[in-house]
Amino acid sequence: MRVGIPRSLLYYKYLPFWKTFLTEIGLEVETSPLTNKQILSWGVEVAENELCVPVKAFYGHCMALRGRVDAIFVPRVVSVEEREYTCPKFLGLPDMIGAVADNLGLPPLLTPRLNQREKPSEFKWQLINFAREEFGLGRLEAAMALESARRAQRRYHDSLVAGRRPLDLLPASRLNRPRWRPAGKGTRRVGLLGHPYNLYDGYITQNLIARLEEAGVELVVPEMTDQHVLMEAATDVPKQLYWTYEKEIMGAINHWTEQKKVDGVIYVLAFACGPDSLVQVLIEHRAREHKVPLMSLTIDEHSGEAGLVTRIEAFVDMLMRKKPAVSAA
Amino acid sequence: MNALTGSGRARPGTGIKVTTPHMGNLHLLLEDLFGRLGVEYIKPPLSSTKTLQIGVKHSPEFACLPLKINLGNFIQALEKGANTIAMAGGHGPCRFGYYGIVEERILRDLGYDFRFVMLEPFGDGPWTFYKTFESLAPGLSIPSLWKILKVSFAKGRAIDRLGRRSLQVRAYEVNRGDTTRALKEAEKILAQAGTTEEIREAEAAAVAVIEGVEQDPERDVLKVGIVGEFFLLLEPFSNFDLEEALGHMGVYLERCVWVTDWIAPRKDNKIFGYPKKLIEEKAAPFLSQNVGGEGRETIGNTVMFAERGFDGVIQLLPFGCMPENIASSILPKVQQVHDIPVQTLAFDEQTGKAGMVTRVEAFMDLLWARRNGRLISVPRRGKKPEAACGGCQRAGTA
Ligand code: SF4
Ligand code: SF4
């Protein structure tokens, strides 16, 4: 059986995990292409007007898999941490896609529910049961597949922390080195803040990463910092956030400002993103408090290239005129 | 002031002047509650365009509409002399549980000085819950808090029941505006009531006032269910008093969310009348997961209205509301399966009343056409029509 993974949303976080798990339980895995014009315009056409652009793109990615696979993998990722949630949209995603599946002629959806809000070990059983119920695997086989998937995800996490670029996610460009560009003399460090499915989706962000690298700045992304460190740093807020992925973002800016890791921050947020619309206030406050220049970039399906280029140039110029951050090392 | 018999001993000397955001007639309940607790309550001026303007000016651009109105309420109340803000909390997944923190941050950045009290759900622990109240009314004992909450809630429930009945009476009223006037009067009667016994008597008198509205029982009315996000449903200011307008068009309404059902959730939804579990079961074939807010309820209730033979359903939501956007992504399927027209109306600060009324009227025309057999099935939703203003208005079916 060929199963398709939409190259969108949480694929940008869990690609090694899902790919390995599905392969190990005996499926042939195919991913949709990188987001392109056709995919996004399909999504915009089909999805509710008010949804954020990455979710619209997800619809398009599902459509891009039509005719190529026997099923599409759309897990319901409710919670990945105790007492927390992902984003409501991920909670409803399988139902949202399911509501249009017939009309669009999508293949059947595989929608395991992953929820460890109540109990941290739950995840494991949910995936094992999924493999057993849907594909008749034995408990041991399923557990082994899960273990390999975990290891793959762990290796991936560690390689990102070690400074490797998430190359599989980024569109090809002449700067596609395996590692992020090191700090050269006289460059500035820019922290790139946001959800990975926005930051690394070159089509959605108009190649923001390539543009910044061409502008000669060194980029710092949240994935370079160990997950535990991010989560710890995220607790420095008046009330604990209940959205895990916003916690990572909050953790990143807290960590960067605390450790003086960046000269400036570019915060990429999707138009109509619910969680970011609130957390934005705390993030901007944090940057102000620590006197770190911050530029918020709101993206949607209409974002134009011209405006982006001008804003990036102005921001980088401004950073170059300022003294570099003290302990940039 | 409330003529509360005996229970409302003011606590002199605390200097606490507490305010809370508006949400429909929640302030009626709060006036009663704070009166009984002996806490000085600074009621923000009723939400108005001014409130919204102030709120919008200081809110993040795509925060949902309720936050913007809350913020306007707070600023207006602080200017009226409030020194303590009490705000409800929560633990997600929608934005509401984090509203307070963001609102506090914005207000402090604007330079306001106040004490901020967050009331987390009772489920977080009865002690924390009690302590929050005790911090507003020092010396308050647990039994008296419990007793006060019970009486105030009895009154709140009665107020909700009056509102519920008025949505139906209005469809049949002979003289336009009578029901609205009667409701105001009925609420006044209740406000005076002190003890549980008095509340019961006052409610009977208040109901009589509403039932006393001259009605035309022969009138042919449309039956429409109102579903959607709680704040939009509860705060008439935020939806241009849509329910009243519909009532004047001769539309019999049932609404799914009521103040007391919302702030003190129970499995049986005392006011709305349908148990949570049933609603979830009805939603399950389309949405099998709580997505925060009223997302799942919107789906389940739409199914139920369809099954109960309602002519149509109107979904109200703040622009960009996550749970409701999930629901409205799924509603076309519900319409198709259950053959019920649904009109989705999204609101933000740029939404204009005129456009909204036109859309609602068009929807009513559609419902009449169906009722009279001129239209057999729900028109399939095709391409989305262009947004009428700033991308905030969409037509679900019309
Ligand atoms: S976190 Fe924001 S951008 Fe991501 S899916 Fe949710 S609303 Fe969309
Ligand atoms: S239900 Fe919707 S509008 Fe209301 S607070 Fe939650 S996200 Fe905002």
Side-chain angles (χ1 to χ4, degrees):
Chain A
M1 181 173 170
R2 280 173 86 75
V3 58
I5 307 183
R7 197 190 283 256
S8 182
L9 297 178
L10 295 182
Y11 174 81
Y12 280 82
K13 287 192 93 73
Y14 305 123
L15 61 156
F17 186 92
W18 286 347
K19 252 192 183 156
T20 312
F21 181 71
L22 295 173
T23 311
E24 295 271 313
I25 63 174
L27 304 173
E28 236 179 287
V29 175
E30 165 141 2
T31 45
S32 56
L34 289 171
T35 309
N36 55 39
K37 190 164 178 212
Q38 173 69 77
I39 287 180
L40 188 59
S41 64
W42 272 334
V44 169
E45 172 96 4
V46 175
E48 225 357 82
N49 193 21
E50 286 174 39
L51 295 169
C52 53
V53 63
V55 169
K56 286 180 181 167
F58 190 88
Y59 278 81
H61 279 277
C62 290
M63 291 169 79
L65 286 164
R66 283 180 301 190
R68 293 172 49 198
V69 295
D70 308 307
I72 303 182
F73 186 64
V74 189
R76 188 191 303 279
V77 187
V78 176
S79 164
V80 295
E81 293 283 340
E82 219 178 334
R83 288 197 296 278
E84 292 173 12
Y85 287 106
T86 54
C87 162
K89 309 234 172 112
F90 299 135
L91 276 60
L93 200 58
D95 297 305
M96 295 159 75
I97 302 297
V100 292
D102 288 348
N103 290 353
L104 297 180
L106 297 182
L109 307 180
L110 292 171
T111 62
R113 187 186 307 259
L114 306 176
N115 182 358
Q116 43 187 354
R117 182 172 151 77
E118 315 293 339
K119 248 206 265 155
S121 58
E122 213 80 325
F123 217 104
K124 181 170 140 200
W125 292 113
Q126 287 156 347
L127 276 171
I128 291 177
N129 287 338
F130 164 73
R132 293 177 65 197
E133 283 157 24
E134 295 279 344
F135 304 103
L137 254 73
R139 187 175 309 202
L140 187 67
E141 285 171 288
M144 276 163 60
L146 184 70
E147 203 33 52
S148 325
R150 271 206 185 134
R151 274 202 304 271
Q153 185 70 25
R154 183 83 230 160
R155 272 197 304 277
Y156 178 67
H157 168 268
D158 292 348
S159 75
L160 293 182
V161 171
R164 191 179 162 276
R165 292 156 54 106
L167 268 193
D168 306 343
L169 303 175
L170 294 169
S173 91
R174 64 188 174 80
L175 291 165
N176 262 4
R177 304 188 189 84
R179 305 177 68 78
W180 294 96
R181 181 195 171 97
K185 251 209 152 71
T187 60
R188 295 293 183 273
R189 287 183 160 194
V190 172
L192 208 47
L193 205 56
H195 293 291
Y197 45 82
N198 290 329
L199 290 188
Y200 303 131
D201 191 324
Y203 190 78
I204 289 184
T205 53
Q206 319 266 353
N207 280 322
L208 177 66
I209 288 184
R211 283 175 207 281
L212 282 166
E213 291 188 320
E214 274 168 29
V217 295
E218 183 193 343
L219 291 177
V220 178
V221 294
E223 284 83 357
M224 286 177 184
T225 306
D226 188 273
Q227 184 73 8
H228 294 295
V229 176
L230 287 184
M231 286 303 183
E232 183 56 38
T235 58
D236 189 11
V237 286
K239 167 179 171 174
Q240 295 316 301
L241 285 157
Y242 42 73
W243 301 296
T244 305
Y245 305 140
E246 309 305 310
K247 263 182 96 172
E248 290 173 4
I249 293 179
M250 196 70 226
I253 186 139
N254 283 353
H255 178 68
W256 292 342
T257 47
E258 181 70 41
Q259 308 272 323
K260 298 207 171 25
K261 280 198 180 293
V262 294
D263 296 292
V265 173
I266 295 182
Y267 175 29
V268 178
L269 62 170
F271 180 78
C273 168
D276 271 340
S277 72
L278 296 194
V279 176
Q280 183 184 16
V281 171
L282 303 187
I283 286 175
E284 286 170 356
H285 176 81
R286 177 81 185 194
R288 261 199 316 277
E289 211 179 35
H290 288 259
K291 304 202 168 52
V292 174
L294 177 135
M295 174 169 79
S296 297
L297 278 182
T298 307
I299 50 164
D300 66 14
E301 61 270 30
H302 313 296
S303 303
E305 216 169 292
L308 183 75
V309 174
T310 336
R311 291 195 62 194
I312 292 177
E313 277 173 4
F315 188 70
V316 173
D317 281 352
M318 186 267 297
L319 291 184
M320 295 306 277
R321 284 195 303 273
K322 285 181 53 143
K323 277 215 324 236
V326 204
S327 68
Chain B
M1 234 14 274
N2 269 316
L4 295 173
T5 43
S7 50
R9 284 177 302 275
R11 287 160 207 278
T14 63
I16 296 174
K17 296 180 179 183
V18 67
T19 192
T20 64
H22 275 300
M23 186 165 72
N25 58 17
L26 171 65
H27 61 98
L28 299 179
L29 194 162
L30 292 177
E31 259 166 1
D32 186 85
L33 179 66
F34 286 123
R36 289 174 201 274
L37 289 168
V39 177
E40 193 177 343
Y41 169 49
I42 306 286
K43 185 173 86 177
L46 289 180
S47 297
S48 65
T49 317
K50 176 100 190 288
T51 314
L52 181 59
Q53 270 169 4
I54 298 174
V56 166
K57 188 165 160 213
H58 302 295
S59 300
E61 185 194 345
F62 37 88
C64 31
L65 186 64
L67 181 131
K68 298 177 181 175
I69 300 179
N70 280 182
L71 204 61
N73 289 150
F74 288 146
I75 291 177
Q76 288 183 310
L78 289 168
E79 267 151 25
K80 241 178 104 179
N83 59 17
T84 304
I85 289 178
M87 178 66 192
H91 305 289
C94 108
R95 279 176 269 193
F96 187 76
Y98 217 72
Y99 260 28
I101 299 302
V102 170
E103 290 162 347
E104 181 193 5
R105 180 73 270 149
I106 295 172
L107 292 170
R108 296 224 187 278
D109 285 350
L110 286 173
Y112 288 103
D113 185 24
F114 56 93
R115 202 173 122 216
F116 181 73
V117 176
M118 195 125 171
L119 181 63
E120 292 294 354
F122 189 75
D124 280 19
W127 181 250
T128 330
F129 186 80
Y130 159 69
K131 276 312 228 185
T132 311
F133 278 94
E134 206 261 349
S135 77
L136 296 174
L140 177 75
S141 72
I142 297 181
S144 55
L145 172 64
W146 192 243
K147 232 168 82 197
I148 288 172
L149 284 175
K150 238 178 118 185
V151 193
S152 276
F153 261 84
K155 192 183 270 193
R157 298 265 184 217
I159 296 170
D160 274 349
R161 281 190 290 267
L162 294 176
R164 185 181 63 190
R165 185 68 188 121
S166 75
L167 289 185
Q168 290 139 23
V169 170
R170 194 178 282 118
Y172 298 98
E173 73 185 6
V174 172
N175 305 308
R176 173 187 277 233
D178 274 3
T179 312
T180 304
R181 275 188 292 276
L183 181 62
K184 284 261 136 50
E185 197 191 321
E187 283 169 354
K188 267 201 202 109
I189 297 174
L190 259 178
Q192 307 301 320
T195 62
T196 319
E197 190 50 41
E198 285 167 18
I199 293 174
R200 206 169 302 139
E201 282 163 20
E203 184 177 3
V207 169
V209 170
I210 292 182
E211 298 295 346
V213 168
E214 194 187 338
Q215 297 172 51
D216 169 12
E218 301 298 305
R219 183 176 293 163
D220 210 6
V221 300
L222 284 172
K223 277 177 112 174
V224 169
I226 307 270
V227 301
E229 194 264 352
F230 60 89
F231 186 91
L232 241 296
L233 259 53
L234 293 174
E235 175 56 68
F237 165 72
S238 69
N239 62 36
F240 302 115
D241 245 321
L242 193 71
E243 289 175 342
E244 193 184 28
L246 282 164
H248 289 161
M249 292 179 205
V251 182
Y252 171 106
L253 297 174
E254 256 182 54
R255 184 221 287 167
C256 302
V257 185
W258 292 91
V259 169
T260 51
D261 281 349
W262 191 79
I263 55 177
R266 288 169 49 115
K267 289 197 188 85
D268 57 355
N269 283 321
K270 259 183 166 332
I271 306 297
F272 175 49
Y274 293 90
K276 274 195 168 28
K277 196 143 167 270
L278 178 66
I279 301 171
E280 285 165 15
E281 274 166 20
K282 295 289 179 191
F286 303 96
L287 177 58
S288 59
Q289 166 74 41
N290 169 27
V291 292
E294 314 295 316
R296 177 159 53 169
E297 287 72 11
T298 290
I299 299 291
N301 287 323
T302 301
V303 171
M304 285 214 288
F305 282 128
E307 288 177 349
R308 291 172 55 212
F310 273 58
D311 293 288
V313 169
I314 296 183
Q315 180 204 18
L316 302 182
L317 69 149
F319 182 85
C321 165
M322 300 187 281
E324 294 303 325
N325 279 166
I326 294 166
S328 51
S329 302
I330 296 169
L331 277 173
K333 178 94 186 178
V334 181
Q335 295 189 43
Q336 211 177 306
V337 173
H338 287 274
D339 192 35
I340 183 156
V342 180
Q343 170 77 59
T344 292
L345 298 172
F347 295 74
D348 71 3
E349 62 269 25
Q350 286 156 31
T351 311
K353 178 165 185 173
M356 204 47 81
V357 171
T358 316
R359 307 252 309 285
V360 170
E361 283 171 351
F363 186 57
M364 292 307 124
D365 289 346
L366 170 102
L367 298 188
W368 276 120
R370 264 173 62 96
R371 172 76 79 81
N372 299 329
R374 277 183 280 125
L375 254 174
I376 308 305
S377 68
V378 181
R380 206 39 116 66
R381 180 157 78 165
K383 238 190 98 56
K384 283 184 294 290
E386 276 306 300
C389 92
C392 58
Q393 302 189 2
R394 297 160 309 121
T397 352

PDB file of all heavy atoms in Angstrom, chain A residues 235-252:
ATOM      1  N   THR A 235       9.135  28.882  30.133  1.00  0.00           N
ATOM      2  CA  THR A 235       8.349  29.026  31.360  1.00  0.00           C
ATOM      3  C   THR A 235       8.430  30.440  31.922  1.00  0.00           C
ATOM      4  O   THR A 235       7.704  30.775  32.843  1.00  0.00           O
ATOM      5  CB  THR A 235       8.815  28.034  32.450  1.00  0.00           C
ATOM      6  OG1 THR A 235      10.199  28.283  32.700  1.00  0.00           O
ATOM      7  CG2 THR A 235       8.622  26.595  32.015  1.00  0.00           C
ATOM      8  N   ASP A 236       9.297  31.262  31.344  1.00  0.00           N
ATOM      9  CA  ASP A 236       9.421  32.632  31.836  1.00  0.00           C
ATOM     10  C   ASP A 236       8.308  33.515  31.257  1.00  0.00           C
ATOM     11  O   ASP A 236       8.555  34.449  30.504  1.00  0.00           O
ATOM     12  CB  ASP A 236      10.816  33.181  31.454  1.00  0.00           C
ATOM     13  CG  ASP A 236      11.098  34.521  32.109  1.00  0.00           C
ATOM     14  OD1 ASP A 236      10.315  34.925  33.007  1.00  0.00           O
ATOM     15  OD2 ASP A 236      12.085  35.171  31.735  1.00  0.00           O
ATOM     16  N   VAL A 237       7.089  33.174  31.604  1.00  0.00           N
ATOM     17  CA  VAL A 237       5.907  33.949  31.200  1.00  0.00           C
ATOM     18  C   VAL A 237       4.956  33.964  32.399  1.00  0.00           C
ATOM     19  O   VAL A 237       5.053  33.105  33.269  1.00  0.00           O
ATOM     20  CB  VAL A 237       5.179  33.314  29.982  1.00  0.00           C
ATOM     21  CG1 VAL A 237       5.926  33.531  28.698  1.00  0.00           C
ATOM     22  CG2 VAL A 237       4.927  31.831  30.205  1.00  0.00           C
ATOM     23  N   PRO A 238       4.021  34.922  32.448  1.00  0.00           N
ATOM     24  CA  PRO A 238       3.153  35.036  33.631  1.00  0.00           C
ATOM     25  C   PRO A 238       2.221  33.839  33.831  1.00  0.00           C
ATOM     26  O   PRO A 238       1.824  33.548  34.947  1.00  0.00           O
ATOM     27  CB  PRO A 238       2.320  36.287  33.355  1.00  0.00           C
ATOM     28  CG  PRO A 238       2.934  36.968  32.190  1.00  0.00           C
ATOM     29  CD  PRO A 238       3.791  35.986  31.479  1.00  0.00           C
ATOM     30  N   LYS A 239       1.838  33.163  32.754  1.00  0.00           N
ATOM     31  CA  LYS A 239       1.005  31.963  32.884  1.00  0.00           C
ATOM     32  C   LYS A 239       1.479  31.011  31.799  1.00  0.00           C
ATOM     33  O   LYS A 239       1.686  31.434  30.658  1.00  0.00           O
ATOM     34  CB  LYS A 239      -0.473  32.318  32.677  1.00  0.00           C
ATOM     35  CG  LYS A 239      -1.391  31.115  32.490  1.00  0.00           C
ATOM     36  CD  LYS A 239      -2.848  31.527  32.303  1.00  0.00           C
ATOM     37  CE  LYS A 239      -3.702  30.321  31.911  1.00  0.00           C
ATOM     38  NZ  LYS A 239      -5.142  30.637  31.856  1.00  0.00           N
ATOM     39  N   GLN A 240       1.665  29.741  32.162  1.00  0.00           N
ATOM     40  CA  GLN A 240       2.217  28.806  31.194  1.00  0.00           C
ATOM     41  C   GLN A 240       1.338  28.721  29.948  1.00  0.00           C
ATOM     42  O   GLN A 240       0.126  28.631  30.026  1.00  0.00           O
ATOM     43  CB  GLN A 240       2.370  27.414  31.830  1.00  0.00           C
ATOM     44  CG  GLN A 240       3.400  27.393  32.959  1.00  0.00           C
ATOM     45  CD  GLN A 240       4.677  28.152  32.601  1.00  0.00           C
ATOM     46  OE1 GLN A 240       5.347  27.831  31.623  1.00  0.00           O
ATOM     47  NE2 GLN A 240       5.009  29.183  33.373  1.00  0.00           N
ATOM     48  N   LEU A 241       2.007  28.770  28.801  1.00  0.00           N
ATOM     49  CA  LEU A 241       1.274  28.641  27.542  1.00  0.00           C
ATOM     50  C   LEU A 241       0.798  27.207  27.388  1.00  0.00           C
ATOM     51  O   LEU A 241       1.486  26.283  27.807  1.00  0.00           O
ATOM     52  CB  LEU A 241       2.196  28.993  26.374  1.00  0.00           C
ATOM     53  CG  LEU A 241       2.485  30.487  26.199  1.00  0.00           C
ATOM     54  CD1 LEU A 241       3.778  30.701  25.436  1.00  0.00           C
ATOM     55  CD2 LEU A 241       1.329  31.155  25.469  1.00  0.00           C
ATOM     56  N   TYR A 242      -0.382  27.028  26.788  1.00  0.00           N
ATOM     57  CA  TYR A 242      -0.866  25.658  26.609  1.00  0.00           C
ATOM     58  C   TYR A 242      -0.736  25.172  25.174  1.00  0.00           C
ATOM     59  O   TYR A 242      -1.198  24.111  24.827  1.00  0.00           O
ATOM     60  CB  TYR A 242      -2.301  25.493  27.128  1.00  0.00           C
ATOM     61  CG  TYR A 242      -3.252  26.622  26.785  1.00  0.00           C
ATOM     62  CD1 TYR A 242      -3.732  26.775  25.494  1.00  0.00           C
ATOM     63  CD2 TYR A 242      -3.671  27.521  27.770  1.00  0.00           C
ATOM     64  CE1 TYR A 242      -4.605  27.792  25.181  1.00  0.00           C
ATOM     65  CE2 TYR A 242      -4.555  28.549  27.456  1.00  0.00           C
ATOM     66  CZ  TYR A 242      -5.019  28.682  26.159  1.00  0.00           C
ATOM     67  OH  TYR A 242      -5.884  29.694  25.848  1.00  0.00           O
ATOM     68  N   TRP A 243      -0.116  25.984  24.324  1.00  0.00           N
ATOM     69  CA  TRP A 243       0.151  25.529  22.948  1.00  0.00           C
ATOM     70  C   TRP A 243       1.640  25.198  22.856  1.00  0.00           C
ATOM     71  O   TRP A 243       2.494  26.101  22.896  1.00  0.00           O
ATOM     72  CB  TRP A 243      -0.145  26.627  21.941  1.00  0.00           C
ATOM     73  CG  TRP A 243      -1.546  27.141  21.934  1.00  0.00           C
ATOM     74  CD1 TRP A 243      -2.675  26.428  21.612  1.00  0.00           C
ATOM     75  CD2 TRP A 243      -1.987  28.485  22.217  1.00  0.00           C
ATOM     76  NE1 TRP A 243      -3.770  27.248  21.681  1.00  0.00           N
ATOM     77  CE2 TRP A 243      -3.383  28.505  22.038  1.00  0.00           C
ATOM     78  CE3 TRP A 243      -1.342  29.658  22.580  1.00  0.00           C
ATOM     79  CZ2 TRP A 243      -4.132  29.659  22.227  1.00  0.00           C
ATOM     80  CZ3 TRP A 243      -2.085  30.796  22.773  1.00  0.00           C
ATOM     81  CH2 TRP A 243      -3.471  30.797  22.597  1.00  0.00           C
ATOM     82  N   THR A 244       1.960  23.918  22.688  1.00  0.00           N
ATOM     83  CA  THR A 244       3.358  23.497  22.710  1.00  0.00           C
ATOM     84  C   THR A 244       4.223  24.248  21.691  1.00  0.00           C
ATOM     85  O   THR A 244       5.325  24.675  22.001  1.00  0.00           O
ATOM     86  CB  THR A 244       3.450  21.986  22.446  1.00  0.00           C
ATOM     87  OG1 THR A 244       2.620  21.334  23.400  1.00  0.00           O
ATOM     88  CG2 THR A 244       4.874  21.490  22.575  1.00  0.00           C
ATOM     89  N   TYR A 245       3.696  24.421  20.480  1.00  0.00           N
ATOM     90  CA  TYR A 245       4.558  25.022  19.450  1.00  0.00           C
ATOM     91  C   TYR A 245       4.756  26.523  19.669  1.00  0.00           C
ATOM     92  O   TYR A 245       5.766  27.079  19.243  1.00  0.00           O
ATOM     93  CB  TYR A 245       4.011  24.724  18.045  1.00  0.00           C
ATOM     94  CG  TYR A 245       3.830  23.238  17.806  1.00  0.00           C
ATOM     95  CD1 TYR A 245       2.727  22.738  17.119  1.00  0.00           C
ATOM     96  CD2 TYR A 245       4.757  22.315  18.309  1.00  0.00           C
ATOM     97  CE1 TYR A 245       2.558  21.373  16.924  1.00  0.00           C
ATOM     98  CE2 TYR A 245       4.590  20.956  18.124  1.00  0.00           C
ATOM     99  CZ  TYR A 245       3.486  20.489  17.436  1.00  0.00           C
ATOM    100  OH  TYR A 245       3.311  19.150  17.260  1.00  0.00           O
ATOM    101  N   GLU A 246       3.814  27.159  20.346  1.00  0.00           N
ATOM    102  CA  GLU A 246       4.039  28.563  20.702  1.00  0.00           C
ATOM    103  C   GLU A 246       5.050  28.636  21.837  1.00  0.00           C
ATOM    104  O   GLU A 246       5.803  29.595  21.951  1.00  0.00           O
ATOM    105  CB  GLU A 246       2.761  29.261  21.144  1.00  0.00           C
ATOM    106  CG  GLU A 246       1.606  29.127  20.230  1.00  0.00           C
ATOM    107  CD  GLU A 246       1.913  29.567  18.811  1.00  0.00           C
ATOM    108  OE1 GLU A 246       2.447  30.673  18.616  1.00  0.00           O
ATOM    109  OE2 GLU A 246       1.595  28.792  17.909  1.00  0.00           O
ATOM    110  N   LYS A 247       5.030  27.609  22.674  1.00  0.00           N
ATOM    111  CA  LYS A 247       6.005  27.562  23.758  1.00  0.00           C
ATOM    112  C   LYS A 247       7.413  27.521  23.185  1.00  0.00           C
ATOM    113  O   LYS A 247       8.323  28.153  23.699  1.00  0.00           O
ATOM    114  CB  LYS A 247       5.776  26.313  24.620  1.00  0.00           C
ATOM    115  CG  LYS A 247       4.964  26.558  25.851  1.00  0.00           C
ATOM    116  CD  LYS A 247       4.831  25.299  26.661  1.00  0.00           C
ATOM    117  CE  LYS A 247       5.865  25.209  27.771  1.00  0.00           C
ATOM    118  NZ  LYS A 247       5.574  24.062  28.663  1.00  0.00           N
ATOM    119  N   GLU A 248       7.575  26.758  22.106  1.00  0.00           N
ATOM    120  CA  GLU A 248       8.903  26.675  21.493  1.00  0.00           C
ATOM    121  C   GLU A 248       9.339  28.046  20.987  1.00  0.00           C
ATOM    122  O   GLU A 248      10.497  28.443  21.135  1.00  0.00           O
ATOM    123  CB  GLU A 248       8.887  25.674  20.332  1.00  0.00           C
ATOM    124  CG  GLU A 248       8.748  24.249  20.816  1.00  0.00           C
ATOM    125  CD  GLU A 248       8.564  23.247  19.677  1.00  0.00           C
ATOM    126  OE1 GLU A 248       8.627  23.657  18.494  1.00  0.00           O
ATOM    127  OE2 GLU A 248       8.352  22.062  19.982  1.00  0.00           O
ATOM    128  N   ILE A 249       8.396  28.754  20.413  1.00  0.00           N
ATOM    129  CA  ILE A 249       8.714  30.073  19.878  1.00  0.00           C
ATOM    130  C   ILE A 249       9.045  31.047  21.015  1.00  0.00           C
ATOM    131  O   ILE A 249      10.039  31.770  20.988  1.00  0.00           O
ATOM    132  CB  ILE A 249       7.529  30.593  19.034  1.00  0.00           C
ATOM    133  CG1 ILE A 249       7.392  29.727  17.783  1.00  0.00           C
ATOM    134  CG2 ILE A 249       7.703  32.044  18.680  1.00  0.00           C
ATOM    135  CD1 ILE A 249       6.248  30.130  16.875  1.00  0.00           C
ATOM    136  N   MET A 250       8.204  31.009  22.039  1.00  0.00           N
ATOM    137  CA  MET A 250       8.437  31.858  23.208  1.00  0.00           C
ATOM    138  C   MET A 250       9.773  31.484  23.850  1.00  0.00           C
ATOM    139  O   MET A 250      10.559  32.357  24.248  1.00  0.00           O
ATOM    140  CB  MET A 250       7.279  31.631  24.200  1.00  0.00           C
ATOM    141  CG  MET A 250       7.135  32.661  25.274  1.00  0.00           C
ATOM    142  SD  MET A 250       6.550  34.243  24.623  1.00  0.00           S
ATOM    143  CE  MET A 250       7.682  35.350  25.449  1.00  0.00           C
ATOM    144  N   GLY A 251      10.009  30.165  23.943  1.00  0.00           N
ATOM    145  CA  GLY A 251      11.260  29.692  24.531  1.00  0.00           C
ATOM    146  C   GLY A 251      12.454  30.203  23.742  1.00  0.00           C
ATOM    147  O   GLY A 251      13.459  30.632  24.308  1.00  0.00           O
ATOM    148  N   ALA A 252      12.326  30.180  22.422  1.00  0.00           N
ATOM    149  CA  ALA A 252      13.447  30.610  21.582  1.00  0.00           C
ATOM    150  C   ALA A 252      13.768  32.081  21.838  1.00  0.00           C
ATOM    151  O   ALA A 252      14.932  32.433  22.070  1.00  0.00           O
ATOM    152  CB  ALA A 252      13.118  30.375  20.117  1.00  0.00           C
TER     153      ALA A 252
END
